[in-house]
């Protein structure tokens, strides 16, 4: 699961994990979506990571990091397109998604949610809360997907290493140089610019619907956010 802020590469991570054979829900608004997915990348993970950590004690968590100066304009653009659908009473987005955004960005409490100072404070607050919560744990990493080899690092973290099928010289030990066993894989660059629908347009049999129905129909978990 990833507890990132939006606009940090969740679509690129989701597509990359699909290509590794995992079942992926970019967003998950039902219990069944979480039960079916190996990975959930976006809402409600960025707001509900503490509750989900308790529900899924064996899960691994990845914080997708992005420099503030790059994140701000992307987030302002995203909110400009989404706010009408995040309206508390009339917006068409799922209630779980609405309250996730409100929890992290106070979208129903501030006059200008896209204000740079407001979003900067939200960014810093969320980052500090995540790092404090997962401090000292080995089931958590922070990852900037623009860094070379970041996909390799993620695959190693979740236990899906892709070794290079080439023999190493006898003078080199894989135990001493484990990085030599892995190609430096990078993430696909998706959802760029003003295109915020790349996940919907990407077709793959391992995609899990955010609204998947199961034994409890389309119910969500009954926890409350702190």
């Amino acid at each position: 699961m990833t507890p990132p802020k939006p606009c940090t590469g969740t679509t690129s991570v989701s597509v990359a994990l699909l290509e590794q054979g995992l079942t992926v829900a970019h967003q998950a608004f039902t219990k069944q979506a979480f039960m079916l997915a190996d990975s959930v990348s976006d809402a409600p993970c960025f707001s509900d990571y503490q509750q989900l950590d308790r529900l899924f004690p064996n899960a691994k968590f990845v914080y997708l990091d992005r420099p503030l100066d790059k994140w701000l304009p992307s987030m302002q653009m995203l909110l400009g397109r989404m706010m009408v659908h995040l309206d508390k009473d009339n917006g068409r987005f799922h209630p779980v998604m609405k309250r996730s955004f409100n929890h992290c960005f106070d979208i129903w409490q501030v006059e200008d949610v896209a204000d740079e100072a407001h979003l900067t404070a939200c960014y810093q607050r969320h980052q500090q809360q995540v790092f404090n919560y997962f401090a000292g744990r080995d089931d958590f990493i922070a990852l900037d997907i623009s860094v070379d080899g970041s996909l390799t690092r993620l695959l190693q973290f979740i236990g899906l290493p892709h070794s290079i099928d080439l023999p190493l010289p006898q003078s080199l030990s894989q135990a001493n140089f484990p990085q030599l066993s892995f190609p430096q894989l990078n993430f696909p660059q998706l959802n760029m610019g003003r295109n915020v629908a790349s996940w919907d347009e990407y077709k793959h049999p391992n995609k899990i619907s955010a609204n998947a129905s199961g034994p409890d129909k389309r119910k969500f978990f009954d926890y409350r956010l702190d």
Side-chain angles (χ1 to χ4, degrees):
M1 300 182 190
T2 56
K5 301 166 289 291
C7 295
T8 52
T10 57
T11 302
S12 297
V13 170
S14 295
V15 169
L17 293 179
L18 282 175
E19 294 299 329
Q20 297 298 319
L22 275 64
T23 54
V24 178
H26 186 241
Q27 298 167 332
F29 303 139
T30 67
K31 292 181 183 179
Q32 186 68 0
F34 275 96
M35 300 309 296
L36 294 175
D38 296 316
S39 170
V40 182
S41 307
D42 204 298
C45 294
F46 59 82
S47 59
D48 298 18
Y49 56 89
Q50 296 186 32
Q51 291 77 16
L52 294 170
D53 183 33
R54 291 191 283 269
L55 283 171
F56 299 95
N58 295 320
K60 293 186 176 184
F61 289 82
V62 182
Y63 177 84
L64 299 182
D65 207 355
R66 190 179 185 188
L68 178 60
D69 62 334
K70 292 185 170 128
W71 177 80
L72 272 171
S74 293
M75 193 64 194
Q76 288 169 327
M77 181 273 291
L78 182 67
L79 287 171
R81 299 183 64 168
M82 291 179 63
M83 278 305 296
V84 65
H85 306 303
L86 291 169
D87 182 82
K88 186 175 184 179
D89 299 315
N90 301 313
R92 68 176 180 86
F93 283 163
H94 195 283
V96 171
M97 186 171 185
K98 290 182 183 181
R99 66 120 172 102
S100 286
F101 269 81
N102 185 60
H103 184 79
C104 290
F105 301 106
D106 300 324
I107 59 173
W108 301 329
Q109 286 78 43
V110 298
E111 183 175 348
D112 182 8
V113 69
D115 175 72
E116 183 173 321
H118 170 69
L119 287 179
T120 297
C122 292
Y123 174 103
Q124 294 171 338
R125 178 184 65 196
H126 181 265
Q127 183 181 71
Q128 192 62 55
Q129 288 173 342
V130 171
F131 284 10
N132 286 346
Y133 180 78
F134 288 103
R137 290 176 47 168
D138 60 6
D139 56 357
F140 170 84
I141 61 168
L143 198 70
D144 182 341
I145 72 165
S146 68
V147 174
D148 284 346
S150 53
L151 177 53
T152 296
R153 186 174 174 223
L154 175 62
L155 296 180
Q156 290 177 297
F157 173 67
I158 63 177
L160 289 177
H162 274 201
S163 60
I164 301 176
D165 191 19
L166 293 174
L168 291 175
Q170 291 184 355
S171 60
L172 296 179
S173 165
Q174 289 189 10
N176 295 328
F177 300 91
Q179 70 275 13
L180 296 178
S181 302
F182 302 95
Q184 292 302 296
L185 303 175
N186 298 319
F187 286 94
Q189 294 187 356
L190 303 175
N191 224 349
M192 305 293 287
R194 299 194 63 81
N195 179 13
V196 293
S198 292
W199 177 251
D200 292 335
E201 297 166 0
Y202 188 79
K203 308 302 179 187
H204 196 284
N206 286 356
K207 287 179 66 171
I208 302 299
S209 170
N211 296 297
S213 180
D216 294 319
K217 307 297 182 182
R218 288 188 169 86
K219 289 184 179 179
F220 192 66
F221 302 107
D222 60 2
Y223 60 72
R224 290 176 173 244
L225 295 184
D226 297 333

